[in-house]
């Protein structure tokens, strides 16, 4: 296995999104499991990602952080996997990738923390309200089989993983459209492989602790 592509992750983190994307790409990669509060915040890892957070990938010596960047980066780095639309058909692809990184991430995180934007302050925050985000996301997943059209793409990995996580932990409403959409994604072989690998890594960490 080559060291040209390395995933720094923890199985109980957003690193699961990067793992799924790597499995979709199909290129060989090495995994470095980091522990919260120790190796993740250590000097060695901070030379890779000064934030001391995961996931991070290193590809041919180049560092990429943030799942919203990792997913389309890998799609472009490995075009043979067919995970990005042609450049003249990427409007929805970019739109929903950045919707996931902006309004969706912020609204769901605030919801999980118990924070609700006061109605009179909705103009001050990028996503407006949690309800607006859920309604917009529902329309997006209902419009086509996949978030950017008729073909599965890196945008589905990123947005779909957020939906799946949110449905599991109650931070995204269990609307039929969300459950149907994520069910379609979860049946993909790469998604199953990624989950198996991360579940095994989580069990190893638990046993080691």
């Amino acid at each position: 296995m080559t060291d040209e592509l390395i995933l720094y992750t923890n199985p109980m983190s957003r690193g699961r999104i990067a793992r799924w994307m790597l499995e979709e790409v199909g290129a060989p990669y090495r995994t470095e499991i980091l522990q919260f509060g120790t190796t993740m915040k250590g000097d060695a890892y901070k030379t890779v990602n000064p934030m001391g957070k995961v996931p991070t990938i290193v590809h041919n010596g180049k560092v990429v952080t943030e799942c919203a960047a990792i997913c389309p980066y890998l799609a472009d780095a490995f075009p043979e996997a067919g995970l990005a639309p042609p450049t003249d058909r990427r409007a929805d692809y970019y739109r929903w990738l950045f919707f996931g990184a902006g309004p969706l991430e912020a609204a769901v995180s605030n919801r999980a923390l118990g924070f609700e934007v006061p109605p009179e302050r909705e103009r001050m925050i990028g996503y407006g309200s949690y309800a607006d985000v859920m309604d917009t996301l529902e329309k997006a997943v209902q419009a086509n089989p996949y978030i950017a059209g008729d073909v599965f793409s890196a945008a589905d990995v990123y947005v779909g993983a957020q939906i799946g996580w949110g449905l599991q932990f109650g931070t995204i409403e269990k609307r039929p459209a969300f459950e149907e959409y994520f069910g379609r994604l979860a049946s993909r072989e790469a998604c199953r492989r990624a989950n198996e690998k991360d579940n095994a890594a989580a069990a190893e960490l638990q046993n080691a602790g």
Side-chain angles (χ1 to χ4, degrees):
M1 181 165 298
T2 181
D3 285 350
E4 291 185 344
L5 185 52
I6 306 169
L7 169 66
Y8 293 90
T9 188
N10 181 288
M12 299 305 295
S13 74
R14 290 174 177 81
R16 283 181 172 257
I17 301 174
R19 168 88 75 182
W20 179 8
M21 186 64 195
L22 284 162
E23 292 297 324
E24 291 284 355
V25 163
Y29 64 95
R30 175 162 62 88
T31 303
E32 292 287 343
I33 301 293
L34 302 174
Q35 293 273 25
F36 292 106
T38 56
T39 51
M40 201 179 294
K41 297 297 184 182
D43 291 341
Y45 179 58
K46 281 195 170 184
T47 64
V48 180
N49 184 350
M51 288 288 288
K53 296 176 71 69
V54 292
T56 296
I57 64 166
V58 178
H59 180 223
N60 292 330
K62 302 297 185 182
V63 175
V64 187
T65 66
E66 317 311 321
C67 289
I70 290 170
C71 289
Y73 173 86
L74 288 171
D76 286 345
F78 299 95
E80 64 277 8
L83 294 169
T87 54
D88 61 346
R89 282 184 275 169
R90 289 193 181 183
D92 285 341
Y93 176 73
Y94 288 128
R95 177 186 182 184
W96 297 115
L97 275 169
F98 286 94
F99 179 85
L104 181 57
E105 170 80 13
V108 168
S109 295
N110 282 341
R111 180 83 162 194
L113 293 169
F115 175 73
E116 296 286 342
V117 180
E120 68 275 12
R121 297 294 183 91
E122 288 179 359
R123 289 183 297 175
M124 296 179 62
I125 197 159
Y127 65 83
S129 72
Y130 175 83
D132 287 343
V133 172
M134 291 298 104
D135 290 345
T136 301
L137 184 62
E138 182 177 38
K139 291 175 183 176
V141 301
Q142 287 176 324
N144 296 290
Y146 298 104
I147 196 77
D150 293 331
V151 179
F152 178 87
S153 72
D156 291 293
V157 175
Y158 183 56
V159 177
Q162 289 178 282
I163 290 175
W165 188 270
L167 290 172
Q168 181 179 357
F169 292 99
T171 54
I172 284 181
E173 296 171 354
K174 290 190 175 181
R175 300 186 185 186
F178 297 152
E179 294 179 313
E180 180 181 348
Y181 170 70
F182 183 68
R184 187 158 55 248
L185 304 187
S187 67
R188 294 180 64 83
E189 182 59 33
C191 185
R192 289 198 295 263
R193 283 198 310 271
N195 280 327
E196 288 171 1
K197 290 179 179 181
D198 277 323
N199 290 343
E204 287 183 17
L205 288 177
Q206 186 175 12
N207 293 336

